[in-house]
C-alpha cells in the first residue's frame, strides 16, 4: 500500500461490546435445568403479549393458559412453553456415558430427522404432545425454543396446533433502510474487481473460515490475494480497498485437521489430542514422545502463520477476530475471546486487533452488528428438513434465542440465574459465518418498526469469497478470488 493510500484509508468508529457475552461459569456441578427455567421465565411475558396482539385482540373468547397442566380438552386456548423435539437420531449423553471406553465412537448423523419424531411443549407443571401438521414446514421449531401455540386438546390428549407465535424481534435502537442486492447462488461470479462502478462509501469486509493449517497450501494463494486486496496491493486504482475501514473474521481462522487430508490422519491426531488432555491432568504435558512433540510443533507453527497473516491486515485496518469451532478456545457457547496476547504476540502488539466473543455484538459508525461463527445455524439445520438457512437465522432473532438447541446438542455454560444466549437487543446487521454459500435478506418486523439485514458469509476455504457491507448505502456485495 502506498503512503497516499494509507492516508486515504477510510476510518470508522468501532464500539465493541465485549462484555455482553463474557461469562464466568458459576459451577459445572449443577444440571442445565436452570437455563431452561430462566429462559421460560424471561420469555413467557413477552410471548403472552405477542399472543395477545396476534390472536386474543381479535377473539375475546381465547385465553392464555397459565400452566400447561391446566389446559382444558376441546377448548381453544393458547399455551406457552419450551419445545422438546423427540428425535431418535440425536446424540444422547446417557448413551455416551453407558458405552464402554473401548467402543469406537460413531460419527454423528448429518441430520437428526426421522418419520417417528414427536413434538412436545413443556413448562414446570408438565408436558403435552403437540401436533403441528404443516406448521412444522412453515416455522422453524426445534428443542429449546420458547413459543406460544394456539389450538385445542383432542380426544387422544394431543394438543392440535392451528398457529404458533415467536417472541418477535427484540428492541432495536434505530431502524435502517437497506438496499438489497440479489445474487443467484448457483451462478454467482460476484462483482468485477476491475470495474469502475464500485461505491466510494465506507465498507466493512466480512470473511470466515480461513482455516489456516501448515499441511495444505490449496488456499494459501487465495488467502494472500485476500490480504493484498484488503491492503491495496493488487495494483488497481478502481479496487475499493482504501474504502474498507474494518475487517471481521467470523471464526475458524485455524483448522489443524482439514477433511481432505484423510480420515486416518484425522483419527490419529484426535488420539493424540485425547492423550494430551489426559497428560495435562497428570502434569505430564512435557513429554519427550517424538510423535506428540511433532503434533505440538505443528499447532505452534499454525499460530505463527496466522500471527504473520493477521499482522499484515492489522497494519492496514481494524480487524475484529471472532473464535469459531476449530479455533484455539473452548467450543462452549458463548465462546470466549482468543488469547491473542499468548497465541498471536506479533498481531497483539498492534492496537488495531480486536479479539471478541462468539456470538459478538458491536457497532460500526452507529450500525449495530450481531455476529455468529455459524455453529447455532448449522446445529438447528441438523434438526430440520428442507429449511432455508436464512429462515433458520431469522428464527434465532424472532425467538430471541441465539442458540435454542443449546445445551441439548450444542454445549453452553451452565447457569442457575440466566441464559447468556437470550438476545435482548435486535441488531441492524446479523451475519453468520462458515456457511456453504452466500445469501442475504432484509427482514422487517410485523409492525414495520424494525428491520434487519441477514447475511450468510460463505466459508473462505471452500469458496474463496468475501462479503462487503456498505455503511452508507446499506447494501451488501460479494467478492470472489
Amino acid at each position: 500500500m502506498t503512503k497516499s493510500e494509507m492516508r486515504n484509508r477510510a476510518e470508522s468508529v468501532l464500539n465493541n461490546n465485549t462484555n455482553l457475552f463474557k461469562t464466568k461459569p458459576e459451577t459445572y456441578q449443577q444440571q442445565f435445568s436452570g437455563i431452561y427455567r430462566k429462559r421460560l421465565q424471561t420469555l413467557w411475558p413477552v410471548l403472552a403479549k405477542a399472543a395477545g396482539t396476534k390472536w386474543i385482540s381479535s377473539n375475546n373468547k381465547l385465553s392464555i393458559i397459565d400452566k400447561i397442566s391446566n389446559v382444558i380438552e376441546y377448548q381453544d386456548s393458547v399455551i406457552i412453553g419450551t419445545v422438546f423435539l423427540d428425535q431418535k437420531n440425536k446424540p444422547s449423553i446417557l448413551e455416551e456415558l453407558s458405552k464402554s471406553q473401548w467402543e469406537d465412537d460413531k460419527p454423528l448423523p448429518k441430520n437428526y430427522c426421522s418419520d417417528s419424531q414427536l413434538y412436545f411443549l413443556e413448562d414446570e407443571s408438565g408436558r403435552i404432545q403437540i401436533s403441528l401438521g404443516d406448521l412444522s414446514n412453515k416455522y422453524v421449531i426445534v428443542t429449546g425454543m420458547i413459543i406460544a401455540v394456539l389450538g385445542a386438546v383432542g380426544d387422544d390428549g394431543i394438543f392440535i396446533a392451528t398457529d404458533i407465535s415467536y417472541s418477535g424481534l427484540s428492541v432495536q435502537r434505530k431502524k435502517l433502510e437497506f438496499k438489497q442486492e440479489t445474487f443467484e447462488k448457483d451462478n454467482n461470479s460476484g462483482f468485477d474487481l476491475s470495474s469502475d462502478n464500485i461505491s466510494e462509501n465506507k465498507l466493512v469486509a466480512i470473511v470466515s473460515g480461513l482455516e489456516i493449517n501448515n499441511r495444505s497450501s490449496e488456499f494459501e494463494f487465495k488467502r494472500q490475494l485476500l490480504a493484498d486486496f484488503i491492503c491495496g496491493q493488487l495494483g488497481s486504482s478502481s479496487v475499493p480497498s482504501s474504502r474498507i475501514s474494518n475487517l471481521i473474521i467470523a471464526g475458524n481462522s485455524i483448522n489443524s485437521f482439514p477433511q481432505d487430508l484423510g480420515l486416518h490422519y484425522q483419527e490419529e491426531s484426535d488420539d493424540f489430542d485425547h492423550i494430551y488432555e489426559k497428560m495435562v491432568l497428570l502434569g505430564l504435558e512435557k513429554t519427550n514422545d517424538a510423535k506428540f512433540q511433532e503434533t505440538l510443533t505443528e499447532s505452534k507453527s499454525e499460530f505463527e502463520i496466522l500471527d504473520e497473516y493477521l499482522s499484515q491486515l492489522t497494519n492496514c485496518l481494524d480487524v475484529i477476530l471472532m473464535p469459531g469451532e476449530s479455533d484455539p478456545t473452548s467450543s462452549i457457547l458463548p465462546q470466549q475471546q482468543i488469547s491473542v496476547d499468548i497465541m498471536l504476540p506479533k498481531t497483539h502488539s498492534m492496537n488495531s486487533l480486536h479479539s471478541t466473543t462468539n456470538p459478538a455484538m458491536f457497532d460500526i459508525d452507529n450500525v449495530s452488528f450481531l455476529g455468529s461463527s455459524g455453529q447455532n445455524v448449522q446445529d438447528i439445520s441438523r434438526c430440520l428438513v428442507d429449511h432455508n438457512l436464512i429462515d433458520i437465522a431469522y428464527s434465532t432473532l424472532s425467538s430471541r434465542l441465539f442458540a435454542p438447541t443449546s445445551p441439548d446438542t450444542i454445549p453452553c455454560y451452565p447457569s442457575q440465574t440466566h441464559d447468556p444466549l437470550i438476545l435482548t437487543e435486535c441488531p441492524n446487521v446479523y451475519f453468520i459465518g462458515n456457511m456453504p454459500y452466500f445469501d442475504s435478506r432484509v427482514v422487517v418486523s410485523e409492525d414495520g418498526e424494525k428491520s434487519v439485514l441477514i447475511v450468510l458469509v460463505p466459508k473462505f476455504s471452500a469458496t474463496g469469497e468475501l462479503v462487503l457491507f456498505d455503511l452508507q448505502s446499506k447494501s451488501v456485495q460479494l467478492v470472489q478470488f
Side-chain angles (χ1 to χ4, degrees):
M1 177 180 285
T2 66
K3 292 183 178 179
S4 174
E5 287 174 319
M6 291 183 68
R7 287 196 300 268
N8 294 329
R9 169 70 65 173
E11 294 183 358
S12 298
V13 177
L14 171 64
N15 181 16
N16 190 2
N17 192 355
T18 55
N19 293 324
L20 185 60
F21 293 105
K22 275 190 175 180
T23 58
K24 290 185 178 179
E26 301 160 14
T27 173
Y28 283 97
Q29 295 180 356
Q30 78 270 7
Q31 296 190 12
F32 286 89
S33 58
I35 284 184
Y36 287 117
R37 183 177 62 255
K38 296 303 295 185
R39 187 182 293 180
L40 179 59
Q41 290 175 352
T42 302
L43 295 179
W44 201 99
V46 179
L47 278 159
K49 183 178 179 180
T53 303
K54 186 173 184 178
W55 301 313
I56 299 177
S57 61
S58 58
N59 186 352
N60 294 330
K61 294 181 179 180
L62 284 177
S63 62
I64 300 175
I65 307 300
D66 60 343
K67 294 181 179 179
I68 288 178
S69 60
N70 294 335
V71 68
I72 302 174
E73 289 185 348
Y74 314 119
Q75 180 177 314
D76 287 342
S77 58
V78 178
I79 56 175
I80 298 173
T82 306
V83 175
F84 174 71
L85 182 50
D86 185 10
Q87 295 177 305
K88 304 303 181 185
N89 295 329
K90 276 197 307 186
S92 168
I93 186 61
L94 295 178
E95 291 182 5
E96 293 294 321
L97 292 174
S98 63
K99 285 195 311 186
S100 166
Q101 62 176 323
W102 307 113
E103 287 186 60
D104 292 334
D105 290 332
K106 296 180 180 179
L108 290 177
K110 293 183 179 180
N111 193 280
Y112 306 146
C113 295
S114 66
D115 295 334
S116 61
Q117 64 187 27
L118 300 173
Y119 292 87
F120 295 88
L121 202 67
E122 59 184 28
D123 62 13
E124 293 180 342
S125 70
R127 169 190 287 187
I128 189 170
Q129 184 179 341
I130 58 176
S131 175
L132 293 173
D134 293 336
L135 293 175
S136 60
N137 298 322
K138 182 180 179 182
Y139 295 96
V140 174
I141 305 173
V142 293
T143 293
M145 276 189 172
I146 313 296
I147 62 173
V149 183
L150 171 65
V153 177
D155 293 330
D156 52 4
I158 298 176
F159 193 90
I160 310 300
T162 56
D163 200 2
I164 75 163
S165 175
Y166 295 127
S167 297
L169 299 180
S170 299
V171 177
Q172 190 175 61
R173 281 175 282 166
K174 180 183 178 181
K175 179 186 175 183
L176 300 180
E177 298 296 331
F178 293 98
K179 177 183 177 182
Q180 180 111 28
E181 303 288 344
T182 58
F183 295 88
E184 294 181 7
K185 294 189 289 293
D186 296 333
N187 185 23
N188 178 23
S189 59
F191 64 86
D192 187 358
L193 295 181
S194 62
S195 66
D196 296 325
N197 59 356
I198 297 176
S199 170
E200 288 299 313
N201 295 334
K202 287 190 284 188
L203 305 171
V204 174
I206 312 174
V207 70
S208 68
L210 295 175
E211 295 194 337
I212 291 174
N213 65 82
N214 60 5
R215 290 180 293 277
S216 175
S217 59
E218 180 182 357
F219 274 86
E220 184 177 348
F221 173 75
K222 288 191 175 183
R223 280 196 299 267
Q224 189 56 50
L225 194 63
L226 168 66
D228 292 342
F229 164 66
I230 290 176
C231 294
Q233 297 175 349
L234 290 186
S236 172
S237 59
S238 61
V239 173
S241 57
S242 63
R243 310 315 304 157
I244 302 175
S245 61
N246 298 83
L247 171 66
I248 302 169
I249 303 178
N252 291 4
S253 299
I254 285 180
N255 185 6
S256 300
F257 309 113
Q259 295 179 356
D260 57 358
L261 294 181
L263 291 177
H264 175 73
Y265 187 88
Q266 173 106 23
E267 292 172 356
E268 186 178 359
S269 300
D270 286 344
D271 289 342
F272 277 96
D273 280 349
H274 178 69
I275 293 171
Y276 181 68
E277 292 175 2
K278 295 293 186 184
M279 296 180 73
V280 169
L281 293 175
L282 297 173
L284 301 175
E285 63 269 28
K286 295 182 179 180
T287 175
N288 291 322
D289 183 273
K291 176 61 181 176
F292 192 70
Q293 286 295 329
E294 179 184 346
T295 302
L296 294 180
T297 302
E298 287 174 349
S299 297
K300 181 179 179 181
S301 176
E302 286 158 359
F303 297 145
E304 292 172 346
I305 295 171
L306 178 62
D307 194 14
E308 182 65 33
Y309 184 77
L310 291 180
S311 67
Q312 298 179 54
L313 297 170
T314 52
N315 193 43
C316 302
L317 79 174
D318 284 317
V319 176
I320 301 170
L321 180 64
M322 295 172 58
E325 191 174 21
S326 63
D327 287 320
T329 185
S330 172
S331 61
I332 297 175
L333 292 181
Q335 284 186 282
Q336 301 303 287
Q337 299 154 296
I338 295 174
S339 301
V340 294
D341 54 335
I342 299 174
M343 300 178 181
L344 307 172
K346 185 174 182 180
T347 310
H348 177 63
S349 64
M350 304 180 183
N351 294 328
S352 49
L353 178 66
H354 309 275
S355 181
T356 188
T357 57
N358 171 40
M361 199 156 191
F362 47 85
D363 293 355
I364 301 177
D365 279 3
N366 295 319
V367 176
S368 61
F369 290 78
L370 172 65
S372 164
S373 295
Q375 297 101 310
N376 59 334
V377 171
Q378 291 167 356
D379 192 68
I380 293 174
S381 68
R382 295 188 184 102
C383 303
L384 305 169
V385 178
D386 298 331
H387 272 275
N388 186 286
L389 293 177
I390 286 277
D391 292 334
I392 293 175
Y394 178 53
S395 74
T396 63
L397 291 177
S398 55
S399 67
R400 304 192 186 187
L401 293 170
F402 176 80
T405 54
S406 69
D408 186 41
T409 49
I410 298 183
C412 70
Y413 283 97
S415 175
Q416 293 293 316
T417 59
H418 73 295
D419 181 354
L421 297 174
I422 291 179
L423 299 176
T424 57
E425 182 179 335
C426 180
N428 298 125
V429 179
Y430 179 29
F431 63 88
I432 302 94
N434 298 290
M435 294 289 98
Y437 55 80
F438 167 80
D439 200 358
S440 66
R441 182 193 301 170
V442 176
V443 295
V444 181
S445 60
E446 292 184 2
D447 57 13
E449 295 181 355
K450 305 162 192 171
S451 62
V452 184
L453 173 64
I454 301 176
V455 182
L456 303 184
V457 181
K459 182 182 291 188
F460 188 84
S461 64
T463 64
E465 293 175 344
L466 168 77
V467 174
L468 294 178
F469 174 72
D470 192 313
L471 286 168
Q472 276 68 47
S473 70
K474 309 300 186 291
S475 62
V476 63
Q477 294 177 313
L478 187 69
V479 181
Q480 288 187 324
F481 296 93

